[in-house]
Amino acid sequence: MNTQQIIGIDLGGTQVRAGLVEGQRITHLVSGLIPAGGNEQEVLEALYLQVDALMQPTTRAIGIGVPSVVDVEEGIVYDVQNIPSWKEVHLRSMMEERYHIPVYVNNDANCFALGEKYFGQGRGVHSMVGLTIGTGLGSGIIIHDKLYEGINCGAGEFGEVAYLDHNYEYFASGQFFRNCYDTTGEKVFGQAVAGDKEALAIFESFGIHLGNAVKMILYAYDPELIILGGSISQSYELFQESMWRSIRRFTYQKSLERFRLVVSELESCGVLGAAALYYDKQH
């Protein structure tokens, strides 16, 4: 990876963050609000505003991470979370027509994995999974140094796999606290940090479910490394013991000797990961 200038864009339901990435760092970072209730063009204009602020004559490409289903080949995004007007947006063609450089579009969980692969704790790792634990349970899969997307960009939807009487996302994401205890992860976190025994027990239960999800991923892909990201991962110390207790029940004990699981420490991973879409396509 050299010092080519790539613009990385992390598009969320309420905010867009964009950065000019050169080599291993972001040299300029901008952000702005997204008119989530606006029409398709209004949302696009909010996106263009941030890109215009970063665009240089030497910019090589643009990468965009979006919380949606993506037709990677055509650069079309479908049913973007929290942006109702974005049902089917031909984002790549619109961006390329405006900026006249290559544009790469992908799911935000895939961008998280690529961000860690090129800029974070995944550097030097050939096969890994980036697992985002927030409102949902998302993931990006790296196999032999390349992002594995599946034919419909649907690879890594581990949260949808059946588990107990629902699926893994029901029990191993932020939804767990609402679904099982009618509360929020943020509230339980505050109580647990204060030493509340019931809140600590809730996180222990969460860890068991997440550990089972990790085992399922190990059976499916046998990665060298899993990197946890997302808001719930910041509570790692509260659930790590029960999670690992569950993971250690993995059938193939020898495999665990080479397996690592860490929590992301990468700032602006969404922006960096979006920029890394360019690097991934150069292999």
Side-chain angles (χ1 to χ4, degrees):
M1 185 164 44
N2 55 33
T3 56
Q4 296 174 103
Q5 293 181 331
I6 312 297
I7 291 178
I9 302 169
D10 182 12
L11 179 64
T14 59
Q15 188 181 54
V16 55
R17 301 178 76 242
L20 189 63
V21 180
E22 297 184 49
Q24 287 289 316
R25 66 193 185 98
I26 299 174
T27 57
H28 296 87
L29 186 67
V30 296
S31 64
L33 296 178
I34 287 291
N39 61 38
E40 178 182 313
Q41 189 60 37
E42 288 171 335
V43 177
L44 277 168
E45 291 298 333
L47 176 59
Y48 293 155
L49 183 66
Q50 306 308 319
V51 178
D52 289 349
L54 295 173
M55 183 61 63
Q56 304 290 325
T58 51
T59 300
R60 179 65 62 88
I62 298 171
I64 310 174
V66 186
S68 71
V69 175
V70 180
D71 180 334
V72 175
E73 294 299 320
E74 299 297 328
I76 304 171
V77 299
Y78 298 95
D79 300 315
V80 178
Q81 292 180 26
N82 300 315
I83 304 181
S85 65
W86 276 33
K87 295 297 184 185
E88 179 180 328
V89 180
H90 294 240
L91 188 56
R92 189 184 74 187
S93 61
M94 291 175 175
M95 295 287 288
E96 289 185 342
E97 182 177 346
R98 181 180 177 93
Y99 295 107
H100 308 292
I101 58 175
V103 175
Y104 304 90
V105 185
N106 215 304
N107 176 268
D108 55 357
N110 286 337
C111 290
F112 168 69
L114 281 177
E116 290 291 343
K117 167 65 179 171
Y118 283 92
F119 301 96
Q121 297 180 82
R123 283 177 289 186
V125 175
H126 303 296
S127 297
M128 56 164 278
V129 172
L131 191 63
T132 59
I133 317 164
T135 305
L137 185 66
S139 74
I141 301 168
I142 307 292
I143 298 177
H144 301 313
D145 295 309
K146 288 281 292 181
L147 179 67
Y148 178 72
E149 302 156 328
I151 192 66
N152 298 301
C153 197
E157 292 293 338
F158 300 119
E160 297 299 325
V161 175
Y163 173 64
L164 300 179
D165 56 341
H166 290 281
N167 58 21
Y168 278 102
E169 188 168 75
Y170 188 96
F171 294 100
S173 74
Q175 296 178 25
F176 166 77
F177 303 95
R178 177 66 66 192
N179 293 336
C180 298
Y181 296 95
D182 194 26
T183 185
T184 66
E186 184 178 11
K187 183 177 181 179
V188 178
F189 174 78
Q191 294 169 333
V193 169
D196 183 87
K197 291 184 178 180
E198 183 178 353
L200 289 168
I202 291 174
F203 268 107
E204 181 179 14
S205 179
F206 174 81
I208 292 171
H209 295 306
L210 181 60
N212 288 335
V214 168
K215 284 191 296 183
M216 179 262 295
I217 295 169
L218 289 173
Y219 285 123
Y221 284 96
D222 190 25
E224 301 170 53
L225 172 69
I226 290 179
I227 302 179
L228 302 183
S231 57
I232 306 299
S233 72
Q234 302 307 305
S235 308
Y236 182 68
E237 291 186 1
L238 296 173
F239 62 77
Q240 65 171 322
E241 184 178 342
S242 60
M243 180 196 71
W244 275 105
R245 192 164 64 242
S246 178
I247 293 171
R248 291 191 184 101
R249 298 192 183 101
F250 188 65
T251 301
Y252 307 114
Q253 288 293 303
K254 196 67 177 176
S255 299
L256 291 182
E257 294 179 9
R258 300 178 60 187
F259 169 67
R260 292 188 299 125
L261 184 147
V262 299
V263 177
S264 175
E265 299 174 347
L266 191 61
E267 294 185 13
S268 302
C269 188
V271 170
L272 290 167
L277 290 169
Y278 168 78
Y279 300 119
D280 186 63
K281 295 302 182 184
Q282 306 315 303
H283 281 73

